[in-house]
Amino acid sequence: MTAPLRPHRRFLLAALPAGILASGCKGQAQEPPLASLSVPPLKMVAPFPVGVCVSTGNFEDPTLLPLILQNFSQFTAEWQMKMETILKDDGSFAFAEPDRIVDFAGENGVRMHAHTLIWYAQKPAAFERIDGNKTAFQNAYRNYIAAVAGRYRGRVVSWDVVNEPVADEGGVLRECLWSKNLGQLGYMIDAYHLAREADDQALLFLNDYWLEKRPEKRRAFLHLAEQLLKSGAPLQGLGSQTHLDIGLEPGSVKAAIKDIASLGLPIHLSELDVSTRFTRFDGEGDGQKATRQSRLVHETVEAFMALPERQRFAITNWGVRDSDSWMQRPPNPPGVNKPLLFDAEGRPKPAAAAFVAAATGR
Ligand code: XIL
């Protein structure tokens, strides 16, 4: 890893909105002067890779692209490396979109994290057709992972092999097309071995969400990771999506990151955003919400920085500008939620300054 540039102290002080580091949330927070925020490029100051999710359309966007290239050193495809894009109904593969993303990353010296091979939420017709036919299902599963992970061997540094296997409640694993046909632990163990056979270099991750919001889910996630390791599956990293909201109790992100890191594996905070909606703070003004968001971002990055360096895989943001977030998509009203580090005009928000402050030890 190349040494990060140390930003000039005056620069950082100017970038830090008043009150971000103050403890407690009582009283009227001051509206931070958005327009005057000056934040250095995230990737230049953070001593770890700073990621962002992208889609091919972003590369044609003259306003967004410079922001992406200036600030981020790692890409995750937002959806174009998922089965929904790659696997066609007739069982054939479509690689044009993921190829474009992986090529673009390579051409621009950006590290590529691949997302995702097996996800309960994907139910492709090509697999549903063979639901219940054990041999056909096993073959198609093997074939898919071999083809996709094999194609990007040497061009991606890591894969989310299994995504979101833990149920939101009850500390149990989700029932899904994959568990039904290949066994609850079996589909995961197979996926890790198949990914390893296809790509002997990529770091293989297990990824899930709400690990800070639901301690019971976190326990189930860690228990699963231990079971996979015990079985001999080549699981090598843990991804915590880190979809937060401003209603989270202070301290819960820190506790989660410490806990998840206790197995000693590299940690990827893989889809960071902080929703400003649907909490007890909905009645507050934008400035107060921005301050709450900044505190959470600060807590997150600070907790990540507290990990041993070898465990800091990356922090990936799930979008650049508020207007790019998946939280703007239907049925959500556009423009109301402001979950990301840059505003709709591409200006760094207080949360971006908080990211930089924590990443530089302030
Ligand atoms: C989301 C994307 O942001 C959306 O554009 C897409 O329609 C659905 O998926 N957890 C994940 C991500 O692992 O892949 C999801 O991304 C967000 C939740």
Side-chain angles (χ1 to χ4, degrees):
M1 198 187 302
T2 48
L5 293 180
R6 299 298 300 185
H8 194 280
R9 185 173 159 76
R10 194 158 44 88
F11 193 37
L12 274 180
L13 287 176
L16 195 64
I20 274 186
L21 304 176
S23 60
C25 299
K26 299 240 166 63
Q28 290 286 309
Q30 289 233 315
E31 182 96 28
L34 270 187
S36 68
L37 274 186
S38 161
V39 176
L42 305 180
K43 72 174 185 185
M44 301 300 277
V45 293
F48 51 81
V50 185
V52 69
C53 70
V54 294
S55 62
T56 50
N58 299 160
F59 306 147
E60 320 303 328
D61 182 332
T63 324
L64 181 55
L65 187 58
L67 271 179
I68 291 178
L69 292 176
Q70 277 157 21
N71 285 285
F72 302 101
S73 52
Q74 180 176 297
F75 289 165
T76 301
E78 189 173 359
W79 65 84
Q80 288 161 311
M81 291 186 95
K82 294 172 180 169
M83 267 186 193
E84 69 190 52
T85 297
I86 295 178
L87 186 57
K88 296 296 147 196
D89 287 359
D90 65 0
S92 63
F93 299 132
F95 285 119
E97 293 171 32
D99 279 359
R100 170 90 176 108
I101 292 184
V102 175
D103 288 348
F104 189 88
E107 286 155 15
N108 288 279
V110 176
R111 200 166 92 139
M112 188 74 216
H113 170 72
H115 170 81
T116 173
L117 286 171
I118 303 299
W119 186 16
Y120 84 94
Q122 310 266 278
K123 299 170 186 126
F127 275 101
E128 287 209 301
R129 237 190 342 264
I130 50 174
D131 188 4
N133 180 340
K134 196 168 168 117
T135 310
F137 205 96
Q138 273 173 336
N139 287 340
Y141 196 73
R142 168 176 286 277
N143 197 24
Y144 181 81
I145 296 177
V148 179
R151 187 175 186 90
Y152 298 111
R153 178 178 178 275
R155 293 197 281 159
V156 304
V157 293
S158 47
W159 265 105
D160 286 333
V161 176
V162 177
N163 193 35
E164 304 182 349
V166 185
D168 288 345
E169 271 151 21
V172 295
L173 301 177
R174 292 178 196 276
E175 299 292 336
C176 59
L177 185 61
W178 319 112
S179 64
K180 189 176 156 206
N181 282 274
L182 301 169
Q184 183 55 273
L185 266 186
Y187 88 88
M188 299 192 235
I189 294 172
D190 288 355
Y192 285 93
H193 285 295
L194 291 167
R196 172 53 71 241
E197 275 169 36
D199 182 341
D200 58 358
Q201 296 166 20
L203 213 60
L204 304 181
F205 277 84
L206 174 71
N207 196 46
D208 218 319
Y209 65 91
W210 283 0
L211 304 179
E212 49 298 295
K213 186 170 173 160
R214 303 265 167 98
E216 187 188 36
K217 183 167 179 176
R218 177 161 87 234
R219 275 193 291 279
F221 175 81
L222 285 171
H223 179 60
L224 170 62
E226 283 172 331
Q227 283 178 297
L228 291 171
L229 291 169
K230 214 163 123 194
S231 80
L235 166 65
Q236 299 170 304
L238 297 179
S240 178
Q241 291 182 10
T242 321
H243 290 296
L244 310 177
D245 64 67
I246 57 168
L248 267 181
E249 287 302 323
S252 45
V253 180
K254 187 177 170 191
I257 292 174
K258 194 167 170 229
D259 217 9
I260 297 162
S262 65
L263 296 190
L265 296 174
I267 301 300
H268 185 195
L269 304 185
S270 56
E271 305 182 12
L272 174 65
D273 52 20
V274 185
S275 168
T276 56
R277 287 190 81 201
F278 305 120
T279 77
R280 62 189 184 284
F281 304 120
D282 279 356
E284 291 187 343
D286 275 358
Q288 285 167 296
K289 290 180 183 169
T291 301
R292 292 189 190 286
Q293 180 178 60
S294 304
R295 287 190 188 126
L296 271 170
V297 168
H298 191 276
E299 177 183 330
T300 303
V301 178
E302 187 174 56
F304 187 76
M305 283 294 291
L307 300 178
E309 197 179 340
R310 67 186 158 75
Q311 280 189 275
R312 285 184 228 148
F313 178 74
I315 300 182
T316 292
N317 293 272
W318 211 240
V320 181
R321 303 166 302 190
D322 287 333
S323 48
D324 302 314
S325 167
W326 65 313
M327 292 182 189
Q328 310 302 350
R329 310 212 175 117
N332 300 305
V336 180
N337 207 335
K338 297 184 175 158
L340 296 171
L341 301 189
F342 294 82
D343 71 11
E345 279 73 47
R347 293 176 303 198
K349 291 166 52 184
F355 189 107
V356 167
T360 52
R362 299 176 53 250

